[in-house]
Amino acid sequence: FIGQAAEGLLETVWEPDGRSLAIFELQKLDRYRQQLVIRQWFVEQGLKRPSRAFVDRVLNEMLVSPGNGDPVLSNQQHMIRRYRNRLFCLPASGFESETVDMTWFQGDEKVLLPGGGYLRRVRGAAGIDARLWQTSNIDVRYRTGGEKIALPGRQGRHSLKKLYQEAGIPPWERPSIPLVFLDGRLAAVADLWISADFFVENQESCFRLHWCRQKNKNGKGND
């Protein structure tokens, strides 16, 4: 019964992306229910239920005092972090972007990414002109800093840093977001944005991207 109750409570505070908890919603619960949620959160990610002492640390340092910088708590080789009123549970190992620079060969529908994720191209009514895609050298890289992109319907060129901030993407996730280059020019940022330089719509054949992130330990995807 307790397990079922914990699962139900977790659903009320779990963000739609399935990767974080809403702090404001968690704060509406009493202390006992908050503890149930944190323990069940660990279980859903393939981890053991944390000790009561650790759960109390999460609640005290992440919820009761939410304005003290960027606290980080470690447990079972994972980190608990807070960003914009959300709680995240992340693998402690970092992402080594400098080791990754991949070619997306013509004819391949998808390219595999570090950690088990992938980028897949799919047909769509709007996206990158398929003819341009098929005549370009395509590379997948990761952010090194200073990248800018023009977006359809917006003036000027925008730094990825600013766009990530606007989209509420946590700083620790940004280095692992794949960037797609056509003939050395930034054409797409995962499935988040397509450059206005490459974007077309109402064409017979366009490609858009689908980004599948690394899977959790329990086998649930983050796509």
Side-chain angles (χ1 to χ4, degrees):
F1 174 77
I2 293 179
Q4 292 178 340
E7 290 179 2
L9 289 170
L10 180 61
E11 290 180 0
T12 67
V13 302
W14 212 335
E15 290 286 350
D17 61 12
R19 297 182 293 121
S20 60
L21 302 184
I23 289 179
F24 286 157
E25 296 301 319
L26 193 54
Q27 288 173 327
K28 295 177 183 179
L29 305 176
D30 60 40
R31 184 76 172 196
Y32 174 70
R33 287 178 172 82
Q34 289 175 345
Q35 292 171 338
L36 287 180
V37 166
I38 298 300
R39 291 195 180 98
Q40 188 63 32
W41 185 34
F42 272 63
V43 172
E44 289 295 321
Q45 297 178 87
L47 303 174
K48 297 179 181 178
R49 286 184 173 83
S51 67
R52 180 172 179 175
F54 183 79
V55 172
D56 286 340
R57 286 194 64 194
V58 172
L59 298 177
N60 292 336
E61 299 180 31
M62 300 284 185
L63 268 65
V64 177
S65 303
N68 297 334
D70 179 21
V72 179
L73 298 178
S74 298
N75 188 280
Q76 302 180 54
Q77 298 182 338
H78 280 65
M79 299 182 298
I80 308 299
R81 300 188 68 166
R82 183 183 66 223
Y83 180 72
R84 291 192 179 182
N85 297 307
R86 291 188 291 165
L87 287 183
F88 294 82
C89 183
L90 313 163
S93 57
F95 178 80
E96 300 296 335
S97 62
E98 67 273 13
T99 63
V100 181
D101 190 350
M102 297 161 289
T103 298
W104 193 333
F105 294 103
Q106 291 292 348
D108 290 349
E109 291 189 0
K110 68 179 180 180
V111 61
L112 298 179
L113 303 173
Y118 61 81
L119 275 176
R120 181 190 297 275
R121 69 176 194 192
V122 294
R123 296 279 181 175
I128 299 174
D129 189 329
R131 292 169 297 181
L132 184 59
W133 178 284
Q134 292 164 348
T135 57
S136 300
N137 293 316
I138 307 166
D139 297 302
V140 179
R141 311 173 194 166
Y142 290 87
R143 183 182 174 204
T144 58
E147 294 89 353
K148 293 186 176 182
I149 189 172
L151 299 180
R154 292 183 59 170
Q155 294 291 327
R157 304 187 72 82
H158 311 276
S159 70
L160 295 192
K161 178 180 180 180
K162 182 177 180 180
L163 291 176
Y164 290 155
Q165 290 172 340
E166 290 178 358
I169 298 173
W172 58 84
E173 290 187 0
R174 300 171 192 174
S176 65
I177 297 176
L179 312 179
V180 178
F181 291 79
L182 270 60
D183 287 338
R185 299 169 60 200
L186 179 58
V189 180
D191 53 9
L192 302 173
W193 302 288
I194 294 176
S195 169
D197 299 332
F198 298 88
F199 181 81
V200 294
E201 53 186 344
N202 299 321
Q203 299 280 346
E204 289 186 4
S205 182
C206 297
F207 288 138
R208 58 185 178 85
L209 300 176
H210 171 69
W211 176 31
C212 176
R213 298 167 175 80
Q214 180 180 358
K215 293 184 180 297
N216 292 328
K217 286 186 176 181
N218 61 4
K220 294 183 179 180
N222 290 324
D223 51 334

